[in-house]
Amino acid sequence: MSELRRAGRLLRAPPFGSLHLVAAIALGGAGCGDDDRRSPSTPEPLVIGSAPAGFPAGPVSKTGPADNALTEARAQLGKRLFFERRLSRTSEIACASCHDQQHAFADPRRVSIGVDGRTGTRNAPALVNLAWGQSFFWDGRAPSLEEQAGMPIEDPLEMDLPLATAVERLAGDPHYVEEFRRAYDAAPSEETLRKALASFVRTLVSGDTAYDRYLAGDSTALDAPALRGEAVFFGNGGCFHCHPPGALTNEGFFNNGTFVEGGDAGRQSLTGRTGDLGKFKVAGLRNVAVSAPYMHDGSLETLEDVVEHYDRGGLGDPSTDPQIEELALSADEKRDLVAFLHALTDDAFLSDPRFQP
Amino acid sequence: MAGLSGAGGGAAGSAGGGATAICPEERVPLRSTGALVELLTELTLNGNPVEFGEPNPLAGGGTLLPLDFRFYVSAVSMMRADDTIVDVDIVTEAGAPVPYGVHLVNIDDAPSRRFRLLVPPGSYSGIAFTLGLEDGCNSDFSQRNPPLSAASAMTWPVPFGFLFLRYEGNVMPPSGGAVPPDAGTGASLPPSSIHMGGLPGTLLAPKVEARAALSVGEGAPLNVRLALDLDAVFAGATAPLDVGDVTLPPGDEVVAGERLRRSAPELMLFTLLSP
C-alpha cells in the first residue's frame, strides 16, 4: 500500500485549490470596490470563497436553492437571527446558545439545555460546511436547511416557540422589518425566517485545516504522527468508508455500533424499517477535535474514546453495520489516528469574527 | 419521432474508454430525438423481489437484511439481433444527457431506481452497459457534482477510483445471531458486504448485458424492469478466484468486490422484465 499511498498524494495535490487564496482574492477584490464605500459599522461579508476540497466545485454564493439564492443581505439577517434570544419562548435561548463557534458550532454538553432547563435527547451537531449537505439532523428528517431551521425553534425541548409567535415578535421590531425587506422584499414570515437562518448556516464554511493545506500541496502541513494517522484513516482503520477524502462525510446513514437495545432508534423512527434501526447520519470531521462529545448521544467524551469504540467494533448489537468490526489497531496506530483527527482543525474558522454577533 | 442514425459503437459523445479519456459533466447528445425507454431497477433474491431494509428469507434458511445497495450505470447500448449495437444516452426527464453520462442507482432512494434512455425506435434484443464508470470518469471526485461527488457514498481512497457497486447487509443464520463478516470465504451464507471498485487505467468496470426482445415504438415510453439477481451477485463475490495479483484497499468486502468485478461479464446479473 505504501507506493499507492505515495501515488495518492501526488494525484491528490493538483485538484484542490486553496480556500485561503480564494478568500483573499474575494476580499481583495471587494476592497477595491464596494468596501471602499463601506461605513465602519458595515459587517464583514459572509458570502465569500469557494467550496473546500472534497465538495462540488463552485463559489459559496451559488449554494442556495433556486427559491433562496444566497445573498449577503440574507446571510447577515440570518446571522442576526442566529443570535436572537427572542426566538425562544422565554427569550433566553438562541441558536447560538447550543451552537458555539469555539466548538465548531456544536455544543460541548452531552445534550443541550433548552428553555426552562429542559434537556434534549441528542448531541447538538457541528454546523460546518452544511451548504453541501444532503439532509439534516442526526436522523436526516429535514431534507433542506430551510426545513431544518424552523424545527429547533418549535421543539419543546429546545426553544419551544411557535414560528407564528416568533414572526410576531420580529414583525414588532422595525430593525428586523427593514432587514427582511432588504433581504426578501417582504415582511417577516415563517418562510423568510427559515430561509434567512439557512442562508447564514450556508456561510459557515471551513476549508483551511492542516489537512486541507496538505491536500493543496503543502507537504509540510502534516507532522509525522498525523501523516501516519492519515495512512490508518485511509487504510486499515477503514474510516474512509464513511469519511471520504476531502469532504470527510459521505452524507450517508449507518449504524456505527452505538445502538444498544432499547436505545435511540435513530432513522428507524422516521422510516419504521427494520434495517434503519440505530442508523444516524455520518458526521463531517472538519474541526472534530473541538466538537466533543461525540456520536448522536454525546456518549463518547474524547477522540480517544471514539477510536477505541471503532477499534472494538462498536457495542455489539446485531443491528450494527457489517463494516463496523474489530480493527485490532496498535496503540501507536490509535495515537496517530487521533493526531490526524487533530489536523482537521481550522483555527481561523473557530475564531472568525464574521461569525460573531 | 424518428431516430437519427446511432448505430455502431464508439459514437462521438460517449464516455469512451482508456485512462486518458475525459469525463465532461455536460455531454454532447448522441441524438436529438428518439423514443424513451424507462428502466426501473429492482433486486431479486431466490427469484423474488427484495424488500429493502427488511429481512428477506434466504434459500438455505436464515435471512438477509439489505442495508445499502447502490451501483453506477454508464455507457449504455441497445443490442440488436444481428449483434450490432446502438449507443444511447441516459437522459433526464427533459431528454438531455445526464451529468457525466452516469446514473447512480441507490435502491434505498426510490427516484434513483428509475433511469431513462433515448433510443432510436426499432427492435432490440437487449441492453448492454458498464456496471460502474468508464475509466475517464473513474478518478478525481475531489470537487465534482453528483452523482460523482463524495455524497454518492461510492468513493475510495486515492489513487483508487470510485466504487462501481456497493452492498452491505446483515445476514442472520437459521439459528439466529449475527454472522461475522466473512465475504469470500466460501461460507454458504452470503457475504455481509461487497465493495466492487476499480483502479483507473488498471481495474476497469465490467460490461454486462440483459437480453430480452424489446420493441421500441415512437409513442409512449417503453417501461421495463431491470432486475438485479442478488444470488448471482453473491455467486460472483464468492467465486473461487485468486485476486492476490492486485493491490486493493484493505477489507474482505473489497476481495469480494474484486471477485465480482472479474466474474460479472460471465454472470447473468441482470434480467429485463415486463412492468
Side-chain angles (χ1 to χ4, degrees):
Chain A
M1 276 301 287
S2 58
E3 285 185 10
L4 289 172
R5 286 205 189 98
R6 279 196 294 275
R9 287 182 191 123
L10 289 173
L11 286 171
R12 207 157 39 215
F16 299 105
S18 163
L19 182 68
H20 238 11
L21 179 61
V22 172
I25 291 170
L27 287 168
C32 296
D34 293 346
D35 268 10
D36 290 342
R37 296 187 298 274
R38 189 171 290 141
S39 69
S41 60
T42 302
E44 287 297 309
L46 290 165
V47 186
I48 61 171
S50 298
F55 295 97
V60 172
S61 60
K62 299 294 185 188
T63 57
D67 65 350
N68 189 28
L70 183 53
T71 68
E72 192 62 35
R74 292 172 181 181
Q76 294 290 353
L77 171 58
K79 173 180 151 181
R80 187 170 170 196
L81 293 167
F82 188 81
F83 292 95
E84 179 55 77
R85 295 176 187 275
R86 284 178 287 171
L87 294 183
S88 64
R89 177 173 52 79
T90 60
S91 294
E92 294 173 322
I93 306 287
C95 303
S97 302
C98 302
H99 294 284
D100 182 348
Q101 182 182 6
Q102 294 179 55
H103 298 278
F105 294 96
D107 192 334
R109 298 167 293 193
R110 190 179 70 76
V111 293
S112 297
I113 309 296
V115 295
D116 299 334
R118 297 170 185 172
T119 55
T121 57
R122 293 175 182 164
N123 181 249
L127 307 181
V128 179
N129 296 335
L130 296 186
W132 297 274
Q134 307 285 308
S135 60
F136 305 92
F137 291 115
W138 281 105
D139 52 17
R141 66 182 180 276
S144 71
L145 279 174
E146 281 74 11
E147 292 197 39
Q148 182 277 334
M151 294 182 182
I153 297 173
E154 295 199 305
D155 189 321
L157 299 181
E158 299 184 52
M159 298 160 86
D160 193 27
L161 186 70
L163 281 178
T165 308
V167 168
E168 285 175 15
R169 291 183 181 184
L170 297 172
D173 182 327
H175 293 294
Y176 271 121
V177 170
E178 172 56 20
E179 284 197 54
F180 272 94
R181 187 202 59 75
R182 193 182 307 141
Y184 291 101
D185 197 22
S189 68
E190 295 182 25
E191 180 182 0
T192 51
L193 167 58
R194 288 187 282 102
K195 284 181 171 178
L197 281 167
S199 295
F200 173 60
V201 172
R202 286 196 175 92
T203 69
L204 302 176
V205 177
S206 173
D208 187 25
T209 70
Y211 172 62
D212 288 295
R213 293 190 289 276
Y214 171 71
L215 291 176
D218 180 358
S219 59
T220 66
L222 296 184
D223 61 17
L227 275 174
R228 292 194 300 269
E230 188 216 20
V232 176
F233 190 93
F234 293 113
N236 56 326
C239 315
F240 64 86
H241 288 299
C242 293
H243 301 284
L248 298 172
T249 173
N250 64 9
E251 292 285 330
F253 297 90
F254 295 90
N255 180 326
N256 67 352
T258 52
F259 175 80
V260 291
E261 192 167 345
D264 188 337
R267 194 157 173 78
Q268 190 189 61
S269 300
L270 273 72
T271 68
R273 293 190 313 191
T274 305
D276 287 334
L277 180 62
K279 277 187 176 179
F280 294 94
K281 189 180 175 192
V282 175
L285 296 186
R286 277 188 176 77
N287 303 298
V288 70
V290 300
S291 62
Y294 304 105
M295 307 303 183
H296 67 279
D297 54 1
S299 59
L300 302 179
E301 294 184 1
T302 67
L303 288 176
E304 286 77 5
D305 293 341
V306 173
V307 170
E308 288 294 339
H309 170 85
Y310 286 118
D311 188 55
R312 80 170 72 93
L315 298 177
D317 189 84
S319 63
T320 301
D321 191 279
Q323 292 175 111
I324 306 298
E325 53 184 327
E326 187 177 343
L327 297 172
L329 298 176
S330 70
D332 285 345
E333 287 175 317
K334 293 176 189 175
R335 275 193 294 273
D336 291 340
L337 194 49
V338 171
F340 175 65
L341 295 173
H342 276 277
L344 304 178
T345 302
D346 180 349
D347 291 318
F349 174 78
L350 301 174
S351 60
D352 192 332
R354 296 179 305 125
F355 302 141
Q356 294 162 13
Chain B
M1 288 185 292
L4 301 177
S5 172
S14 67
T20 58
I22 58 172
C23 183
E25 181 174 0
E26 289 187 28
R27 299 171 61 81
V28 178
L30 289 168
R31 57 188 57 80
S32 57
T33 60
L36 282 178
V37 176
E38 293 198 351
L39 295 110
L40 178 63
T41 54
E42 62 183 38
L43 301 179
T44 62
L45 184 68
N46 299 325
N48 299 312
V50 167
E51 189 175 4
F52 194 82
E54 296 296 344
N56 291 263
L58 291 164
T63 59
L64 168 66
L65 173 59
L67 298 170
D68 198 355
F69 202 106
R70 53 188 89 194
F71 58 89
Y72 283 115
V73 175
S74 61
V76 184
S77 301
M78 303 299 294
M79 299 186 296
R80 287 189 166 126
D82 62 1
D83 282 341
T84 60
I85 61 171
V86 181
D87 291 342
V88 298
D89 283 321
I90 309 173
V91 296
T92 63
E93 285 188 69
V98 297
Y100 310 104
V102 169
H103 182 75
L104 175 62
V105 174
N106 175 0
I107 297 295
D108 196 20
D109 175 39
S112 81
R113 289 175 51 208
R114 187 182 300 275
F115 62 100
R116 301 162 190 80
L117 308 175
L118 190 62
V119 175
S123 296
Y124 299 96
S125 59
I127 69 169
F129 59 90
T130 297
L131 179 55
L133 304 174
E134 294 291 279
D135 213 34
C137 285
N138 189 27
S139 62
D140 184 18
F141 62 86
S142 56
Q143 292 202 298
R144 281 198 180 140
N145 288 308
L148 298 183
S149 67
S152 64
M154 297 290 274
T155 58
W156 256 6
V158 176
F160 294 94
F162 286 80
L163 290 173
F164 301 144
L165 179 148
R166 175 176 188 156
Y167 147 79
E168 282 125 36
N170 276 335
V171 178
M172 303 294 283
S175 56
V179 176
D182 60 353
T185 58
S188 58
L189 291 167
S192 57
S193 54
I194 302 168
H195 289 184
M196 181 181 85
L199 179 62
T202 305
L203 306 178
L204 308 181
K207 303 281 186 182
V208 296
E209 297 177 353
R211 291 191 176 271
L214 298 173
S215 179
V216 180
E218 295 187 7
L222 175 65
N223 289 288
V224 183
R225 290 155 56 209
L226 180 65
L228 174 53
D229 180 6
L230 276 185
D231 295 298
V233 170
F234 296 148
T238 56
L241 297 173
D242 179 6
V243 296
D245 56 333
V246 294
T247 302
L248 297 164
D252 291 339
E253 72 281 2
V254 177
V255 172
E258 177 59 11
R259 288 180 171 136
L260 175 61
R261 191 188 69 83
R262 297 186 188 196
S263 306
E266 311 303 323
L267 295 167
M268 288 287 290
L269 291 175
F270 290 92
T271 306
L272 292 171
L273 303 169
S274 301

